[in-house]
PDB file of all heavy atoms in Angstrom:
ATOM      1  N   PRO A 505       3.171   4.806  -4.837  1.00 98.00           N
ATOM      2  CA  PRO A 505       4.588   4.779  -4.840  1.00 98.00           C
ATOM      3  C   PRO A 505       5.158   3.458  -4.187  1.00 98.00           C
ATOM      4  O   PRO A 505       4.780   3.206  -3.009  1.00 98.00           O
ATOM      5  CB  PRO A 505       5.009   6.037  -4.025  1.00 98.00           C
ATOM      6  CG  PRO A 505       3.883   6.929  -4.204  1.00 98.00           C
ATOM      7  CD  PRO A 505       2.737   6.071  -4.309  1.00 98.00           C
ATOM      8  N   TYR A 506       5.992   2.727  -4.844  1.00 97.00           N
ATOM      9  CA  TYR A 506       6.771   1.639  -4.248  1.00 97.00           C
ATOM     10  C   TYR A 506       8.097   1.564  -4.987  1.00 97.00           C
ATOM     11  O   TYR A 506       8.021   1.084  -6.200  1.00 97.00           O
ATOM     12  CB  TYR A 506       6.031   0.338  -4.259  1.00 97.00           C
ATOM     13  CG  TYR A 506       6.859  -0.715  -3.418  1.00 97.00           C
ATOM     14  CD1 TYR A 506       6.853  -0.857  -2.061  1.00 97.00           C
ATOM     15  CD2 TYR A 506       7.699  -1.663  -4.085  1.00 97.00           C
ATOM     16  CE1 TYR A 506       7.647  -1.615  -1.302  1.00 97.00           C
ATOM     17  CE2 TYR A 506       8.555  -2.500  -3.373  1.00 97.00           C
ATOM     18  CZ  TYR A 506       8.475  -2.505  -1.987  1.00 97.00           C
ATOM     19  OH  TYR A 506       9.212  -3.375  -1.259  1.00 97.00           O
ATOM     20  N   VAL A 507       9.157   1.968  -4.412  1.00 97.00           N
ATOM     21  CA  VAL A 507      10.447   2.024  -5.113  1.00 97.00           C
ATOM     22  C   VAL A 507      11.358   0.990  -4.413  1.00 97.00           C
ATOM     23  O   VAL A 507      11.476   0.936  -3.218  1.00 97.00           O
ATOM     24  CB  VAL A 507      11.122   3.438  -5.009  1.00 97.00           C
ATOM     25  CG1 VAL A 507      12.485   3.407  -5.683  1.00 97.00           C
ATOM     26  CG2 VAL A 507      10.153   4.522  -5.594  1.00 97.00           C
ATOM     27  N   ALA A 508      11.890   0.180  -5.297  1.00 96.00           N
ATOM     28  CA  ALA A 508      12.695  -1.071  -4.773  1.00 96.00           C
ATOM     29  C   ALA A 508      14.156  -0.651  -4.598  1.00 96.00           C
ATOM     30  O   ALA A 508      14.722   0.043  -5.391  1.00 96.00           O
ATOM     31  CB  ALA A 508      12.464  -2.229  -5.748  1.00 96.00           C
ATOM     32  N   ALA A 509      14.689  -1.235  -3.563  1.00 96.00           N
ATOM     33  CA  ALA A 509      16.164  -1.243  -3.446  1.00 96.00           C
ATOM     34  C   ALA A 509      16.752  -2.164  -4.477  1.00 96.00           C
ATOM     35  O   ALA A 509      16.101  -2.957  -5.148  1.00 96.00           O
ATOM     36  CB  ALA A 509      16.580  -1.727  -2.089  1.00 96.00           C
ATOM     37  N   VAL A 510      18.057  -1.984  -4.769  1.00 96.00           N
ATOM     38  CA  VAL A 510      18.760  -2.824  -5.709  1.00 96.00           C
ATOM     39  C   VAL A 510      19.589  -3.855  -4.915  1.00 96.00           C
ATOM     40  O   VAL A 510      20.418  -3.503  -4.122  1.00 96.00           O
ATOM     41  CB  VAL A 510      19.731  -2.053  -6.587  1.00 96.00           C
ATOM     42  CG1 VAL A 510      20.469  -2.924  -7.542  1.00 96.00           C
ATOM     43  CG2 VAL A 510      18.866  -0.940  -7.317  1.00 96.00           C
ATOM     44  N   PRO A 511      19.248  -5.162  -4.999  1.00 96.00           N
ATOM     45  CA  PRO A 511      19.973  -6.127  -4.198  1.00 96.00           C
ATOM     46  C   PRO A 511      21.504  -6.097  -4.353  1.00 96.00           C
ATOM     47  O   PRO A 511      21.980  -5.794  -5.441  1.00 96.00           O
ATOM     48  CB  PRO A 511      19.440  -7.442  -4.661  1.00 96.00           C
ATOM     49  CG  PRO A 511      18.084  -7.182  -5.303  1.00 96.00           C
ATOM     50  CD  PRO A 511      18.312  -5.801  -5.938  1.00 96.00           C
ATOM     51  N   HIS A 512      22.173  -6.384  -3.215  1.00 95.00           N
ATOM     52  CA  HIS A 512      23.610  -6.310  -3.314  1.00 95.00           C
ATOM     53  C   HIS A 512      24.176  -7.432  -4.267  1.00 95.00           C
ATOM     54  O   HIS A 512      25.259  -7.171  -4.985  1.00 95.00           O
ATOM     55  CB  HIS A 512      24.199  -6.657  -1.879  1.00 95.00           C
ATOM     56  CG  HIS A 512      25.746  -6.587  -1.722  1.00 95.00           C
ATOM     57  ND1 HIS A 512      26.346  -5.408  -1.938  1.00 95.00           N
ATOM     58  CD2 HIS A 512      26.608  -7.540  -1.551  1.00 95.00           C
ATOM     59  CE1 HIS A 512      27.685  -5.658  -1.790  1.00 95.00           C
ATOM     60  NE2 HIS A 512      27.782  -6.889  -1.546  1.00 95.00           N
ATOM     61  N   ALA A 513      23.447  -8.502  -4.393  1.00 93.00           N
ATOM     62  CA  ALA A 513      23.833  -9.622  -5.320  1.00 93.00           C
ATOM     63  C   ALA A 513      23.341  -9.328  -6.726  1.00 93.00           C
ATOM     64  O   ALA A 513      23.536 -10.229  -7.664  1.00 93.00           O
ATOM     65  CB  ALA A 513      23.391 -10.935  -4.747  1.00 93.00           C
ATOM     66  N   GLY A 514      22.637  -8.305  -6.987  1.00 91.00           N
ATOM     67  CA  GLY A 514      22.014  -8.022  -8.262  1.00 91.00           C
ATOM     68  C   GLY A 514      20.624  -8.703  -8.453  1.00 91.00           C
ATOM     69  O   GLY A 514      20.193  -9.406  -7.581  1.00 91.00           O
ATOM     70  N   GLY A 515      20.033  -8.426  -9.580  1.00 92.00           N
ATOM     71  CA  GLY A 515      18.647  -9.063  -9.846  1.00 92.00           C
ATOM     72  C   GLY A 515      18.117  -8.398 -10.986  1.00 92.00           C
ATOM     73  O   GLY A 515      18.764  -7.821 -11.856  1.00 92.00           O
ATOM     74  N   MET A 516      16.815  -8.466 -11.190  1.00 95.00           N
ATOM     75  CA  MET A 516      16.101  -7.942 -12.318  1.00 95.00           C
ATOM     76  C   MET A 516      16.374  -6.477 -12.358  1.00 95.00           C
ATOM     77  O   MET A 516      16.397  -5.703 -11.372  1.00 95.00           O
ATOM     78  CB  MET A 516      14.564  -8.123 -12.185  1.00 95.00           C
ATOM     79  CG  MET A 516      13.769  -7.572 -13.334  1.00 95.00           C
ATOM     80  SD  MET A 516      11.981  -7.723 -13.075  1.00 95.00           S
ATOM     81  CE  MET A 516      11.818  -9.450 -13.301  1.00 95.00           C
ATOM     82  N   GLU A 517      16.707  -5.860 -13.565  1.00 96.00           N
ATOM     83  CA  GLU A 517      17.001  -4.495 -13.659  1.00 96.00           C
ATOM     84  C   GLU A 517      15.701  -3.681 -13.381  1.00 96.00           C
ATOM     85  O   GLU A 517      14.627  -4.040 -13.660  1.00 96.00           O
ATOM     86  CB  GLU A 517      17.403  -4.226 -15.148  1.00 96.00           C
ATOM     87  CG  GLU A 517      17.957  -2.818 -15.322  1.00 96.00           C
ATOM     88  CD  GLU A 517      18.460  -2.577 -16.696  1.00 96.00           C
ATOM     89  OE1 GLU A 517      18.312  -3.491 -17.527  1.00 96.00           O
ATOM     90  OE2 GLU A 517      18.947  -1.430 -16.982  1.00 96.00           O
ATOM     91  N   ARG A 518      15.954  -2.566 -12.640  1.00 96.00           N
ATOM     92  CA  ARG A 518      14.828  -1.754 -12.136  1.00 96.00           C
ATOM     93  C   ARG A 518      15.235  -0.285 -12.052  1.00 96.00           C
ATOM     94  O   ARG A 518      16.370   0.069 -11.926  1.00 96.00           O
ATOM     95  CB  ARG A 518      14.435  -2.282 -10.798  1.00 96.00           C
ATOM     96  CG  ARG A 518      15.475  -2.014  -9.679  1.00 96.00           C
ATOM     97  CD  ARG A 518      15.353  -2.898  -8.471  1.00 96.00           C
ATOM     98  NE  ARG A 518      15.746  -4.305  -8.877  1.00 96.00           N
ATOM     99  CZ  ARG A 518      15.565  -5.364  -8.069  1.00 96.00           C
ATOM    100  NH1 ARG A 518      14.950  -5.180  -6.923  1.00 96.00           N
ATOM    101  NH2 ARG A 518      15.973  -6.563  -8.435  1.00 96.00           N
ATOM    102  N   HIS A 519      14.183   0.561 -12.098  1.00 97.00           N
ATOM    103  CA  HIS A 519      14.341   1.884 -11.585  1.00 97.00           C
ATOM    104  C   HIS A 519      14.414   1.959 -10.084  1.00 97.00           C
ATOM    105  O   HIS A 519      13.577   1.137  -9.453  1.00 97.00           O
ATOM    106  CB  HIS A 519      13.287   2.867 -12.104  1.00 97.00           C
ATOM    107  CG  HIS A 519      13.354   3.174 -13.579  1.00 97.00           C
ATOM    108  ND1 HIS A 519      12.356   2.732 -14.535  1.00 97.00           N
ATOM    109  CD2 HIS A 519      14.225   3.941 -14.269  1.00 97.00           C
ATOM    110  CE1 HIS A 519      12.680   3.246 -15.685  1.00 97.00           C
ATOM    111  NE2 HIS A 519      13.741   4.028 -15.593  1.00 97.00           N
ATOM    112  N   SER A 520      15.204   2.816  -9.620  1.00 96.00           N
ATOM    113  CA  SER A 520      15.263   2.952  -8.108  1.00 96.00           C
ATOM    114  C   SER A 520      15.340   4.355  -7.777  1.00 96.00           C
ATOM    115  O   SER A 520      14.952   5.274  -8.525  1.00 96.00           O
ATOM    116  CB  SER A 520      16.543   2.161  -7.596  1.00 96.00           C
ATOM    117  OG  SER A 520      16.435   1.993  -6.157  1.00 96.00           O
ATOM    118  N   TRP A 521      15.874   4.679  -6.492  1.00 96.00           N
ATOM    119  CA  TRP A 521      15.825   6.016  -5.899  1.00 96.00           C
ATOM    120  C   TRP A 521      16.468   7.082  -6.835  1.00 96.00           C
ATOM    121  O   TRP A 521      16.051   8.173  -7.025  1.00 96.00           O
ATOM    122  CB  TRP A 521      16.396   6.055  -4.524  1.00 96.00           C
ATOM    123  CG  TRP A 521      15.597   5.124  -3.697  1.00 96.00           C
ATOM    124  CD1 TRP A 521      16.053   3.823  -3.326  1.00 96.00           C
ATOM    125  CD2 TRP A 521      14.325   5.316  -3.134  1.00 96.00           C
ATOM    126  NE1 TRP A 521      15.082   3.274  -2.415  1.00 96.00           N
ATOM    127  CE2 TRP A 521      14.034   4.118  -2.369  1.00 96.00           C
ATOM    128  CE3 TRP A 521      13.456   6.335  -3.086  1.00 96.00           C
ATOM    129  CZ2 TRP A 521      12.793   3.996  -1.663  1.00 96.00           C
ATOM    130  CZ3 TRP A 521      12.251   6.207  -2.428  1.00 96.00           C
ATOM    131  CH2 TRP A 521      11.961   5.056  -1.692  1.00 96.00           C
ATOM    132  N   LYS A 522      17.583   6.733  -7.459  1.00 96.00           N
ATOM    133  CA  LYS A 522      18.339   7.703  -8.214  1.00 96.00           C
ATOM    134  C   LYS A 522      17.614   8.078  -9.524  1.00 96.00           C
ATOM    135  O   LYS A 522      17.971   9.105 -10.147  1.00 96.00           O
ATOM    136  CB  LYS A 522      19.755   7.175  -8.608  1.00 96.00           C
ATOM    137  CG  LYS A 522      19.748   5.971  -9.511  1.00 96.00           C
ATOM    138  CD  LYS A 522      21.150   5.470  -9.814  1.00 96.00           C
ATOM    139  CE  LYS A 522      21.228   4.363 -10.852  1.00 96.00           C
ATOM    140  NZ  LYS A 522      20.419   3.255 -10.434  1.00 96.00           N
ATOM    141  N   ASP A 523      16.585   7.276  -9.833  1.00 97.00           N
ATOM    142  CA  ASP A 523      15.747   7.530 -11.098  1.00 97.00           C
ATOM    143  C   ASP A 523      14.601   8.472 -10.850  1.00 97.00           C
ATOM    144  O   ASP A 523      13.726   8.744 -11.770  1.00 97.00           O
ATOM    145  CB  ASP A 523      15.364   6.256 -11.725  1.00 97.00           C
ATOM    146  CG  ASP A 523      16.514   5.378 -11.996  1.00 97.00           C
ATOM    147  OD1 ASP A 523      17.362   5.817 -12.881  1.00 97.00           O
ATOM    148  OD2 ASP A 523      16.638   4.244 -11.451  1.00 97.00           O
ATOM    149  N   LEU A 524      14.429   8.964  -9.565  1.00 98.00           N
ATOM    150  CA  LEU A 524      13.343   9.876  -9.307  1.00 98.00           C
ATOM    151  C   LEU A 524      13.967  11.326  -9.332  1.00 98.00           C
ATOM    152  O   LEU A 524      15.114  11.533  -8.917  1.00 98.00           O
ATOM    153  CB  LEU A 524      12.836   9.610  -7.874  1.00 98.00           C
ATOM    154  CG  LEU A 524      11.960   8.367  -7.725  1.00 98.00           C
ATOM    155  CD1 LEU A 524      11.746   8.075  -6.263  1.00 98.00           C
ATOM    156  CD2 LEU A 524      10.623   8.506  -8.505  1.00 98.00           C
TER     157      LEU A 524
END
Side-chain angles (χ1 to χ4, degrees):
Y506 185 80
V507 180
V510 179
H512 186 68
M516 180 185 288
E517 191 176 1
R518 69 201 71 189
H519 285 114
S520 192
W521 302 101
K522 67 181 185 301
D523 300 301
L524 291 169

